[in-house]
Amino acid sequence: MTTSTTEGRKLYQQVASAIAEAIREGAHKPGQRLPSERDLAEDYKVSRPTVREAMIALEIQGLVEARHGSGIYVTDAPRAQGSAPELDIGAFELTEARRLIEGEVAALAAATITDEELVELATIMDDMVVENDKDVRGEGADRRFHVTIARASRNSALVNVVETLWDQRYKSPLCRAMLERARQVGVRPRIDDHQEILLALKARDPAAARNAMREHLGRVIDNLLTATEIDALERARSEVAARRVELARRSAI
């Protein structure tokens, strides 16, 4: 099966719908392991990130579940479903858009940013360090850093686009689920990446600012790929469970 966007649905939705239909028709039975991510990507002629988004969408729907060190399985009692709910945009697609747009925003900002705005960015980075240390959810400082750069571009349309892309991170159930998984395995805003962006802006170097932003968001995509691997998530769950057992043991002393 070759998927396309001509049906007005995103690729991950087409793949998720096709697998859900196969489950309903009995091609994949309750308790049965689905083909590997690589095989599904080849079967549906899509990328592995698209397959991963489809798997997370199916998990949200209650049709499949991840099993540690084993793979993705059809649930023993899948919830009754009509048509698949609209899950909106995935984190890979969203971050790819941010990489394209925010790279150019940073280049423009490098030519127009003020000393006051540079000081503000440095202060926001301090807040980002605190949020990382305290495991604050919501990435408020990270969002402020990127929106401040957009405002330094002196283009209100670009500010609106950047803010909309950030807001979409929390409006989309699929994107929220993927970002939460990334946080569970320790993914946090990269301070060193943001420092490189700030240095390029301080140098008023548009090309360096563009490259720093694009490289940063490229690494975000790589981190999401790693963080949403089944084994990575299951390792995190196992470690949390082990810590809870150890805490209970110590509390009993």
Side-chain angles (χ1 to χ4, degrees), residues 22-93:
I23 290 172
R24 285 191 290 270
E25 291 178 350
H28 304 301
K29 301 184 184 302
Q32 181 181 349
R33 183 182 184 276
L34 290 178
S36 70
E37 182 180 277
R38 185 183 300 277
D39 289 342
L40 288 170
E42 291 177 357
D43 289 345
Y44 291 102
K45 305 296 189 293
V46 296
S47 67
R48 293 180 70 179
T50 296
V51 171
R52 200 162 298 171
E53 289 180 336
M55 291 299 102
I56 293 173
L58 291 171
E59 282 192 84
I60 292 172
Q61 295 173 44
L63 292 173
V64 303
E65 62 183 0
R67 297 184 185 174
H68 174 55
S70 184
I72 299 286
Y73 287 76
V74 179
T75 55
D76 291 331
R79 293 198 297 262
Q81 296 262 336
S83 59
E86 173 62 56
L87 291 170
D88 298 320
I89 195 169
F92 296 121
E93 189 177 5

Side-chain angles (χ1 to χ4, degrees), residues 8-230:
R9 291 187 301 168
K10 299 178 180 67
L11 284 176
Y12 86 84
Q13 292 173 328
Q14 296 180 49
V15 174
S17 293
I19 295 173
E21 183 64 22
I23 290 172
R24 285 191 290 270
E25 291 178 350
H28 304 301
K29 301 184 184 302
Q32 181 181 349
R33 183 182 184 276
L34 290 178
S36 70
E37 182 180 277
R38 185 183 300 277
D39 289 342
L40 288 170
E42 291 177 357
D43 289 345
Y44 291 102
K45 305 296 189 293
V46 296
S47 67
R48 293 180 70 179
T50 296
V51 171
R52 200 162 298 171
E53 289 180 336
M55 291 299 102
I56 293 173
L58 291 171
E59 282 192 84
I60 292 172
Q61 295 173 44
L63 292 173
V64 303
E65 62 183 0
R67 297 184 185 174
H68 174 55
S70 184
I72 299 286
Y73 287 76
V74 179
T75 55
D76 291 331
R79 293 198 297 262
Q81 296 262 336
S83 59
E86 173 62 56
L87 291 170
D88 298 320
I89 195 169
F92 296 121
E93 189 177 5
L94 181 67
T95 308
E96 182 181 50
R98 287 186 58 209
R99 184 172 182 267
L100 292 170
I101 293 166
E102 292 195 48
E104 298 309 310
V105 169
L108 184 56
T112 58
I113 196 165
T114 66
D115 289 341
E116 291 76 15
E117 286 166 332
L118 289 169
V119 171
E120 182 181 359
L121 288 173
T123 300
I124 293 171
M125 280 191 57
D126 291 338
D127 293 341
M128 202 183 302
V129 171
V130 172
E131 287 188 357
N132 281 359
D133 290 342
K134 293 184 177 180
D135 193 21
V136 174
R137 298 184 181 275
E139 303 172 326
D142 194 9
R143 184 186 193 279
R144 284 191 287 124
F145 185 91
H146 288 266
V147 172
T148 298
I149 293 173
R151 289 175 179 156
S153 74
R154 305 292 181 265
N155 186 310
S156 59
L158 289 175
V159 175
N160 185 59
V161 171
V162 171
E163 287 183 326
T164 298
L165 288 171
W166 270 89
D167 291 343
Q168 190 67 42
R169 289 161 64 91
Y170 308 108
K171 291 179 180 177
S172 164
L174 177 63
C175 193
R176 278 202 315 272
M178 296 177 74
L179 292 170
E180 177 58 28
R181 290 180 180 215
R183 180 166 286 277
Q184 286 180 31
V185 295
V187 174
R188 300 290 185 274
R190 297 176 60 104
I191 303 302
D192 53 344
D193 279 7
H194 290 81
Q195 183 64 43
E196 289 299 317
I197 296 168
L198 180 55
L199 288 173
L201 292 170
K202 283 182 177 179
R204 268 75 176 189
D205 186 333
R210 177 188 295 110
N211 290 338
M213 182 66 77
R214 287 175 62 87
E215 288 177 6
H216 161 55
L217 291 170
R219 278 188 283 270
V220 170
I221 293 173
D222 290 341
N223 285 342
L224 281 169
L225 279 168
T226 300
T228 53
E229 288 177 353
I230 295 167

